[in-house]
Amino acid sequence: MTSSTTNTSDRGLFETNFSIGATAVAAVAALLAVFFAWLGYTDGIVPVVGYQMNILTGMVGMLFGAGIALVAFVMAAYMEPGFEE
């Protein structure tokens, strides 16, 4: 085993600055994914841009946001802190 795998301790999502930032990005991306899904379902208009959403573009936005949220959450849970320690 390498030293990086033998010295790894259990870290929570709010232990280091990196994991706190990645958790925040995951939460914001998840909220945006739900917002885009809702806008697509209701044929709404994106507030700042003014783009008319339909069900297809809403689901694409939801999947994109959910993918970013999933990657950021995995990064927050499993990545090493790097230069902080």
Side-chain angles (χ1 to χ4, degrees), residues 21-68:
T23 304
V25 168
V28 169
L31 288 175
L32 282 175
V34 170
F35 179 68
F36 278 127
W38 176 74
L39 274 181
Y41 182 73
T42 60
D43 291 331
I45 298 174
V46 179
V48 176
V49 181
Y51 181 73
Q52 178 73 34
M53 300 283 283
N54 58 19
I55 192 75
L56 180 63
T57 56
M59 289 303 113
V60 168
M62 183 207 61
L63 288 173
F64 188 69
I68 291 174

Side-chain angles (χ1 to χ4, degrees), residues 9-21:
S9 62
D10 290 332
R11 291 185 181 95
L13 295 177
F14 301 107
E15 295 295 323
T16 63
N17 290 336
F18 177 80
S19 62
I20 291 171

Side-chain angles (χ1 to χ4, degrees), residues 1-8:
M1 295 176 76
T2 63
S3 63
S4 64
T5 57
T6 57
N7 294 334
T8 303

